[in-house]
Amino acid sequence: MHPGDTLTLLAPLSGPIVPIESVPDPVFADKVVGDGISIDPTSQTLLAPCDATVTQLHAARHAITLSTAGGVEILIHVGIDTVGLKGEGFTARVKQGDRVSAGQALIEFDADRLLHKAPSLLTQVILLSGETSAIVERASGAARAGVSRLMTVSPRRKAGGDPAQASGTAEAGASRPPRATVGVTSALVTVPNPHGLHARPAAVLASEARSFAADISVELAGRNANAKSVVGLLNLGAGPGAELRLVASGSEAARAVARLVELVRSGLGEDLSAAPAAPGPAAPSPAPAPRAVAADDARRLHGVIAAPGLAIGPVCKVDPLAAPVEERGLDTEVELARLHRALTHTRHELKQLVAASGKRVEQAQIFSAHLSMLDDPEVITRTEVAIVEGKSAPFAWREAVMASYRELARQSNPLLAARANDLRDVGGRALRHLVGGDEAQAVPAGSIVVAETLTPSEVVRLADQGAAGLVSVLGGTTSHAAILARSLGVPYLVDASAALLAVEAGGTAVLDALNAPNAGEAVLLLHPTEAELDGYRARLGARQALRERQEAAAAERAVTRDGVRVAVLANIASADDARKAVRLGAEGVGLLRTELMFFDRAAAPTEAEQTAAYQEIADALGERPLVIRTLDVGGDKPLSYMPLPAEDNPLLGIRGLRIGALHPTILRSQLRAILSARVAGGHRVLLPMVAGIEELREAKQVLEEERRRAGSPPVELGVMVEVPSVAIQADRFAAEVDFFSIGTNDLTQYTLAMDRTHPRLAARQDALHPAVLRLIAATVQAARKHERHVGICGAVASDPDAVAVLIGLGVTELSVSVQAMPEVKARIRELDAEACRELARAALDLGTAAEVRALLSPGARPG
């Protein structure tokens, strides 16, 4: 392809054409490598899409790079995660340096062998030379190898009509030699911002600087910084009144300097109306910024109760950069791709957080500043240089972040020095993506752990280490982290202000995650007075005494004062949970979350491993019944080794029972494992995320086929009621199942159209919304008509304040978190079932969850 010409690429394989965005690998789907097209192959010989030279043939023979005479570079990558096969199943028909013609065989592969060892055979055709050329036309439908036109590539053009010249990426802060070099220096410009050039104005300046094809620096008192680097700008230590000079070279130097000078003079987006008179350059540094706290009380940070309780202890901050990493990298290109994939994921995550901040302007600004720091060219360049020198991407990134962190932390201006923590936070966020998400930092027993976010595995680890309480900026009341915190009995506050991240470690705090005085709201009290501590210690002692009395009576049945018995079972995930549940009075297990044994692994557990796990749980229960839910992943619960199609709305896509249709071997293996376990009290199989009768019937057929093969006796089959369609058609479902289990977490999500993982909607996710209660009532009525039993296993069953209305709706089985059982059973014994029915009728006529909560407040409770 000569400059100005277009290039047509033929399909290298036959098969359906798939948009690159749909490839189940974010490196390709997010176009980290480059833009392109994917093919789901039906042929097994990879053909050259055009005349070219083989510039690279990977040692594993799964990927090949071609270069045309016109400078277009093309990568063809066969399959997903096929590099780990180390060439098995691949045969190269060319070698590096060969000239090839369009249609010539490049690589042959054994599709049957690869499909048994790789998650997908999707083959990506990627344009690597994206700076100088672009895809202007792409095919759809089905491709024929060597015949179909797959895409058309054309040179990028500037406004004047010449082919575009690569000028480097703004993100890296580097540029190739400009077409014309023009040097421009500004006059001195004074910083008008009351706190100087701190993170937010520095981010605005750097972001604007990156939009120009120019090398730009900012000078202050003999020092200079890259204008495209937030960290570099912060390291200047430019306080209020500092006099800066901008120097630029490149084709857009004059325009860049004029625009940036204008921005600096205008305050870089900050409101200067209340700014004090600018001090001279020698003026003292501003006073330290006040502690960022809630407006109503300088020591209180409010949030939402995810797990109830009360805790007193020292604040411990989870260090986001504490993850263990390997120092040496295996391959430079692999490590660079790994870095940029993690940065892309982190960038996307931060953009979502900015969008989700809503009216919380301060929070949105914090995450926007984190975005700018993430793209800082100095940090990225330091990382890339270390990777080229042989370091791994996680090690190089952490060292680069820490080097910049130390430079910022040395600043004499306290406000600028405080930005070091912002850099540490965003660096840790990216590091989690680099190493897989789990941090191994130990925390002191009895501490209150504060963090931006906590994963389920982190909750378990922190509980094992003796954490007294947990607080996070992100998270919801029905997240798996919250579910685990409740089961472990660790108080957990979510949806806290972003000011939490500025809280100093070491000081004493009180985590009040009890329902009083404000229903559903909790508080982290910083630096409590001795009088306040005395009051909280008295409350804590009273709660512990009450808990001891409840546990002493936990083995007794839960019967209302007028004789209605309510079965109280446990939600568990392991044999340890089962043993603890039995000690705390469980009458069985109403929900075994089998998916938790699939997490934190490189591959799915084997059939034998699953059977052994189910058997250990059954043995712990003795004669008590066991309800085993089949694998419920997808949506907010992905598995790294089970790639799913990219979806715009994953919570409405392939998850729960629908996984069985995509991965039938996993479903059948799990059913065989369940049938192999011997359960003295009888076991029931529970299907998650059922939406239609046809899904139920297909699963019933699979279960029956496996049961007959195993020669097992019939087992009871039930469905989760967590999609409104099942509650609405409960009478039809009741004719085909043995029981119902109402999952109020997802039922609330889908009824109210609120993503249960959304950080800003956590406080509005309430299963006591009248619309949800009406669906529960409809399900109970249909179950009663067909003589099917129905239980509730969602989080609302563990809420002592909700027990009355649930009993009033006719629910006679509650499956609750292990820790909640003694309190829930004690609450049932205090109630009168007839009064509960009157309460439920009143609740169904209300309009909001808040009104229902008010109806259930202590003064209005039936007793």
Side-chain angles (χ1 to χ4, degrees), residues 337-644:
R338 185 180 178 189
L339 168 68
H340 289 287
R341 177 174 57 186
L343 294 178
T344 297
H345 287 175
T346 309
R347 192 176 298 114
H348 177 69
E349 193 173 71
L350 287 168
K351 287 178 179 177
Q352 287 185 318
L353 292 174
V354 171
S357 296
K359 295 182 179 179
R360 296 192 178 189
V361 177
E362 180 188 9
Q363 189 152 304
Q365 290 174 332
I366 288 173
F367 291 132
S368 294
H370 284 192
L371 259 172
S372 293
M373 287 183 165
L374 180 72
D375 287 334
D376 192 280
E378 290 192 357
V379 176
I380 292 175
T381 300
R382 277 177 172 170
T383 306
E384 291 175 335
V385 168
I387 288 174
V388 171
E389 292 174 349
K391 306 298 184 184
S392 73
F395 181 87
W397 173 257
R398 186 172 68 182
E399 292 303 301
V401 169
M402 286 306 299
S404 295
Y405 166 83
R406 287 188 288 268
E407 291 169 1
L408 282 176
R410 286 196 295 266
Q411 290 291 331
S412 58
N413 183 327
L415 187 61
L416 296 181
R419 298 290 69 79
N421 284 328
D422 286 335
L423 178 61
R424 195 179 183 100
D425 283 338
V426 74
R429 181 185 289 276
L431 187 63
R432 285 197 296 271
H433 286 294
L434 278 166
V435 300
D438 200 12
E439 298 172 358
Q441 177 188 358
V443 300
S447 58
I448 295 176
V449 178
V450 303
E452 183 178 68
T453 185
L454 291 170
T455 66
S457 58
E458 286 172 330
V459 168
V460 173
R461 176 175 57 78
L462 293 169
D464 288 344
Q465 292 175 358
L470 310 171
V471 191
S472 67
V473 174
L474 306 177
T477 58
T478 60
S479 68
H480 277 77
I483 290 170
L484 287 169
R486 286 193 293 272
S487 71
L488 295 166
V490 181
Y492 185 19
L493 174 141
V494 297
D495 198 27
S497 164
L500 177 72
L501 302 180
V503 171
E504 295 179 2
T508 299
V510 175
L511 174 56
D512 187 353
L514 299 175
N515 290 333
N518 297 311
E521 189 170 90
V523 65
L524 179 70
L525 175 63
L526 305 172
H527 309 295
T529 65
E530 281 302 318
E532 288 170 332
L533 280 175
D534 288 342
Y536 277 112
R537 286 172 182 142
R539 286 179 62 190
L540 189 59
R543 278 185 57 82
Q544 290 172 340
L546 175 62
R547 176 72 181 186
E548 290 172 3
R549 293 195 298 271
Q550 291 170 344
E551 288 188 10
E556 300 174 13
R557 289 185 170 187
V559 182
T560 64
R561 294 190 306 189
D562 53 349
V564 174
R565 182 172 179 269
V566 180
V568 180
L569 296 86
N571 296 335
I572 69 166
S574 66
D576 285 342
D577 287 349
R579 286 185 280 268
K580 186 175 182 180
V582 170
R583 290 199 304 271
L584 293 178
E587 298 173 52
V589 166
L591 175 64
L592 170 57
R593 294 189 176 92
T594 61
E595 61 272 10
L596 295 180
M597 71 177 68
F598 284 74
F599 292 145
D600 298 324
R601 298 175 58 104
T606 66
E607 197 171 309
E609 288 174 325
Q610 291 184 64
T611 298
Y614 303 147
Q615 190 62 59
E616 187 178 5
I617 291 169
D619 293 343
L621 293 177
E623 299 294 326
R624 299 169 183 83
L626 170 62
V627 176
I628 303 176
R629 184 173 68 185
T630 59
L631 184 62
D632 185 14
V633 296
D636 61 324
K637 297 173 285 185
L639 293 177
S640 60
Y641 53 84
M642 187 187 293
L644 298 174

Side-chain angles (χ1 to χ4, degrees), residues 131 166-170 172-178 212-216 228 249-250:
E131 291 181 348
S167 59
T169 63
S175 62
R176 297 180 184 177
F212 293 100
D215 292 326
I216 312 167
K228 299 179 181 181
S249 63

